[in-house]
Amino acid sequence: MKNAIFTGLAFVFSLASCTRKEPVDLYPADSPRAQYDTAAVDSFSNGAVSVDIARQIRMSSRAYQDSVKEAIRLQQEEKKLREELEKENRNKADEEKKKADQEKQKPAGEAAAETKTD
């Protein structure tokens, strides 16, 4: 008798659990949907971003543009410093050359003065 009751209850539970249920809609009509493609794209499939396009995207970013401007500014500063240094070196070389010319002219002038006095 206990087996018949147990079998009957098992039969009733299995019927209740196997009844057809309506499918649950995970995306109801009034819910917002993504406006972009969320599917993963393989690097060899159609629509994949090439290396050149990815490089252009990175280069167009604000951080990259700022770093390029900073690098250009630093190069210009270095160029100005180099020009100033070259100018100073040229001036020093000219002064030394003038002193050397004056030294050469002075002994020649003294030698000429000595010959006149003798």
Side-chain angles (χ1 to χ4, degrees), residues 39-49:
V41 177
D42 185 15
S43 62
F44 298 107
S45 68
N46 292 337
V49 177

Side-chain angles (χ1 to χ4, degrees), residues 20-81:
R20 266 211 122 136
K21 296 179 182 175
E22 292 185 29
V24 177
D25 188 14
L26 297 176
Y27 298 104
D30 60 341
S31 70
R33 292 185 184 253
Q35 298 297 324
Y36 51 89
D37 185 14
T38 58
V41 177
D42 185 15
S43 62
F44 298 107
S45 68
N46 292 337
V49 177
S50 69
V51 175
D52 296 330
I53 302 297
R55 182 172 168 263
Q56 288 176 351
I57 292 170
R58 269 187 263 116
M59 288 175 64
S60 67
S61 70
R62 182 175 293 272
Y64 182 82
Q65 295 296 324
D66 290 344
S67 66
V68 168
K69 287 178 185 176
E70 183 68 20
I72 290 172
R73 186 183 63 79
L74 290 174
Q75 286 177 350
Q76 289 174 347
E77 286 180 8
E78 287 179 11
K79 186 177 178 182
K80 286 179 184 177
L81 289 174

Side-chain angles (χ1 to χ4, degrees), residues 103-114:
E103 295 281 328
K104 286 180 183 177
Q105 288 176 0
K106 186 176 182 182
E110 288 177 3
E114 287 179 12

